[in-house]
Amino acid sequence: MNYRHAYHAGNFADVAKHVGLLYCLDALKRKDAAFFVLDSHAGRGIYDLQAAPARKSAEADRGIQRLIENGIGTAPLADYFDAVRARRGKRLARYPGSPALIAAALRPQDRALFFEVLPAEARATAREVESAGRIRCEIGDGYAALKAYLPPQERRGLVLMDPPYESLDELKTLLRAFADAYRRWPSGIYLMWYPIRSASQRRQVHARFDALEIPKMLYADLAVHPDDAGVGLAGSGLMIVNPPYGTDEHLRRAYEAIHRAIAATGAGYVEVARLTPERMAQ
Ligand SMILES: C[S@@+](CC[C@H](N)C(=O)[O-])C[C@H]1O[C@@H](n2cnc3c(N)ncnc32)[C@H](O)[C@@H]1O
């Protein structure tokens, strides 16, 4: 595997994913009861945006950094800017990955488990977030972790699945792992990230989720280039299963704000819609 998230941390797709993640974590905190988070593809916890990989790709410059310049003060993004500690006019040095965002959101009664296949990345995450058994990061396959750890004893919580999509089979693997996890824990919130590379590929991703016949699926797609621009990553999507109340409206407003700030040419789009209904027909 060649993928290293340090080259991509803070790009528009990372931002979009983290905005969705934060909303769902916040929603879980509407109740006092403890919740559990499983992050199956954790990465390295915190990213140094001044280090060589981020400087080389400059993806964060066109992502979080441009968003700070053009979008700070935008109401639907306020919690996100707080979480990444963005300040007007300041370059962001450290960008929190999903483990840092999750760890910061947990209350004393909540638990999180992170899986990362690359030992160096997993160790970096562990150093950043581990705390007395409540938050753990393990080196290993996140898909296998879903089998091993779901359903959680708390019976409420969320699963984030954010693979690198380096292999052509990744979506198939993710769908299989998700369908199996859902059978064992149908009330969990699931967030699954996917790339948008072309209009037909996006339709295919939606169709393959739809074919699972699982209710309460919401997709939130944000593109900053035309789907068929041939730029590699035109956009990105989040498939959210069992989205908390208000997710649709929040993500629509937040993604429109990101789109306005980042897609300077006005290219691309925001589409937030239900893929499957509240109940499937018998
Ligand atoms: C897109 S990055 C994760 C970014 C992170 N979720 C975030 O939002 O900050 C994907 C990560 O998955 C790791 N990975 C790839 N295959 C994996 C697997 N089967 N199980 C666990 N981690 C895996 C990669 O090494 C990479 O660090």
Side-chain angles (χ1 to χ4, degrees):
M1 192 181 62
N2 289 317
Y3 187 90
R4 294 293 178 280
H5 196 61
Y7 288 90
H8 311 291
N11 69 7
F12 75 89
D14 231 18
V15 167
K17 168 184 63 194
H18 292 155
V19 166
L21 171 66
L22 283 179
Y23 184 83
C24 292
L25 288 167
D26 252 22
L28 281 164
K29 292 195 279 190
R30 289 174 200 157
K31 288 189 185 151
D32 288 337
F35 63 82
F36 171 71
V37 179
L38 177 55
D39 182 349
S40 62
H41 296 71
R44 69 177 292 120
I46 295 253
Y47 296 89
D48 180 353
L49 296 185
Q50 306 310 324
R55 296 310 322 139
K56 186 164 181 224
S57 74
E59 288 191 24
D61 292 354
R62 299 186 295 274
I64 179 64
Q65 206 55 56
R66 191 179 286 174
L67 187 63
I68 291 172
E69 279 150 31
N70 299 340
I72 209 148
T74 314
L77 295 174
D79 290 347
Y80 171 71
F81 282 133
D82 277 352
V84 302
R85 299 175 192 276
R87 298 283 172 274
R88 192 184 297 277
K90 275 228 155 146
R91 285 197 74 76
L92 201 64
R94 281 160 58 86
Y95 184 78
S98 53
L101 292 171
I102 291 165
L106 294 197
R107 306 160 303 177
Q109 65 269 42
D110 306 322
R111 239 174 10 107
L113 192 50
F114 300 98
F115 271 78
E116 167 56 50
V117 82
L118 296 177
E121 304 288 272
R123 281 194 291 271
T125 290
R127 274 197 301 277
E128 201 57 51
V129 303
E130 275 196 348
S131 83
R134 213 166 50 78
I135 306 180
R136 258 176 39 226
C137 181
E138 295 193 6
I139 303 169
D141 176 23
Y143 295 122
L146 264 65
K147 264 196 197 323
Y149 292 98
L150 300 182
Q153 72 210 25
E154 292 84 352
R155 299 273 156 183
R156 59 191 300 266
L158 74 76
V159 177
L160 172 64
M161 297 167 79
D162 182 22
Y165 289 91
E166 258 192 337
S167 114
L168 290 175
D169 274 354
E170 189 88 65
L171 182 64
K172 192 167 152 195
T173 310
L174 176 140
L175 290 170
R176 197 180 296 141
F178 160 61
D180 178 70
Y182 182 88
R183 262 192 298 281
R184 280 174 295 112
W185 191 30
S187 61
I189 301 169
Y190 295 83
L191 284 92
M192 291 165 280
W193 184 87
Y194 50 89
I196 296 175
R197 303 191 199 283
S198 71
S200 65
Q201 173 263 347
R202 181 168 91 106
R203 277 195 298 277
Q204 218 179 70
V205 172
H206 290 177
R208 291 182 63 183
F209 273 105
D210 198 21
L212 297 176
E213 301 191 339
I214 286 174
K216 294 190 201 162
M217 283 198 192
L218 168 75
Y219 68 87
D221 291 353
L222 164 71
V224 296
H225 300 284
D227 271 356
D228 293 308
V231 289
L233 199 64
S236 80
L238 260 191
M239 191 63 70
I240 309 182
V241 181
N242 297 322
Y245 177 78
T247 309
D248 314 46
E249 190 48 29
H250 178 77
L251 285 190
R252 196 168 294 120
R253 290 175 58 232
Y255 280 19
E256 277 166 4
I258 298 171
H259 182 256
R260 267 195 307 278
I262 288 186
T265 58
Y269 53 82
V270 169
E271 198 176 296
V272 178
R274 293 286 170 149
L275 185 73
T276 57
E278 284 290 297
R279 281 192 188 74
M280 302 308 287
Q282 295 300 308

